[in-house]
Amino acid sequence: MGYKNAAPETFINYLAYDALGKNHFDKASALFNLNAEWYPESNNVYDSYADYYLVIKDTTNAITNYKKALQINNSESTLGKLNKISKSDKNGFTIEYLQRYAGVYTLIDFNLDMKLEMRNDRLWAIVPGIEDSEFLPISENIFTVKGQHGYTITFKTEDNKPIGFTSVQPNGTFEAISKKLK
């Protein structure tokens, strides 16, 4: 017919991360590649493709794709991932740094309280009905979830104290506010 009829980028990305999570690497690669072909101006496409390369232990292609993503949009999250794998992040994250995020947060869409707590010098998320997850710092105020692909948790702060966060994950974007603010 002569016109482009592409599936939405977020839907393809969701399917790609799902395949990756199930260790269907050929399918995941094909979907991430399709997204890069259809949406070449999206930094998220290359950031996600880099995540795929990390899982299959191809650091060179992961770095290349993170750099492509940064050329499109200088995202702190992407930069943090790149720094982490290229070992150029010298800041380190102290126990005191992680401790500041501990507390109770309300997931707005679900009116559900979740808790962030320190365990063995690590930050853990406790959400009712879901297995506890470790939050890993990527850069200032930005975390990912250990063992999960496509998760970026960005904290909002006021006077250097967290007041809430936005969680972008394969199944959607969710907002939370600190229980202290309610």
Side-chain angles (χ1 to χ4, degrees), residues 79-80 82-84 86-93 137-139:
L79 182 59
L82 178 61
N83 287 340
K84 187 172 183 176
S86 63
K87 308 288 189 240
S88 63
D89 184 5
K90 306 291 185 209
N91 294 333
F93 296 98
I138 297 174
S139 64

Side-chain angles (χ1 to χ4, degrees), residues 76-77 80 84 89-103 105 116-119 121-124 134-144 152-157 159-162 164-165:
E76 273 191 55
S77 172
K84 187 172 183 176
D89 184 5
K90 306 291 185 209
N91 294 333
F93 296 98
T94 64
I95 295 167
E96 292 76 25
Y97 171 82
L98 295 174
Q99 180 65 44
R100 80 181 207 182
Y101 297 97
Y105 296 83
L116 294 182
E117 70 178 27
M118 293 295 294
R119 278 194 224 148
D121 300 334
R122 301 181 193 288
L123 186 64
W124 287 83
E134 184 182 346
F135 275 23
L136 300 174
I138 297 174
S139 64
E140 184 75 21
N141 297 321
I142 301 176
F143 291 75
T144 191
T152 304
I153 298 92
T154 305
F155 282 86
K156 296 174 209 128
T157 60
D159 298 324
N160 212 24
K161 292 183 178 134
F165 64 82

Side-chain angles (χ1 to χ4, degrees), residues 162-174:
I163 59 170
F165 64 82
T166 301
S167 178
V168 178
Q169 49 201 59
N171 62 337
T173 300
F174 305 96

Side-chain angles (χ1 to χ4, degrees), residues 42-112:
S42 169
N43 72 309
N44 183 54
V45 164
Y46 296 105
D47 182 281
S48 298
Y49 213 171
D51 290 347
Y52 159 79
Y53 282 118
L54 277 182
V55 170
I56 65 165
K57 300 185 183 349
D58 183 346
T59 307
T60 302
N61 277 317
I63 289 170
T64 299
N65 278 278
Y66 283 137
K67 286 180 177 178
K68 279 184 188 177
L70 288 168
Q71 287 173 346
I72 295 168
N73 181 5
N74 194 14
S75 158
E76 273 191 55
S77 172
T78 302
L79 182 59
K81 291 178 186 181
L82 178 61
N83 287 340
K84 187 172 183 176
I85 63 170
S86 63
K87 308 288 189 240
S88 63
D89 184 5
K90 306 291 185 209
N91 294 333
F93 296 98
T94 64
I95 295 167
E96 292 76 25
Y97 171 82
L98 295 174
Q99 180 65 44
R100 80 181 207 182
Y101 297 97
V104 178
Y105 296 83
T106 301
L107 294 164
I108 297 169
D109 289 347
F110 306 105
N111 195 26
L112 178 71

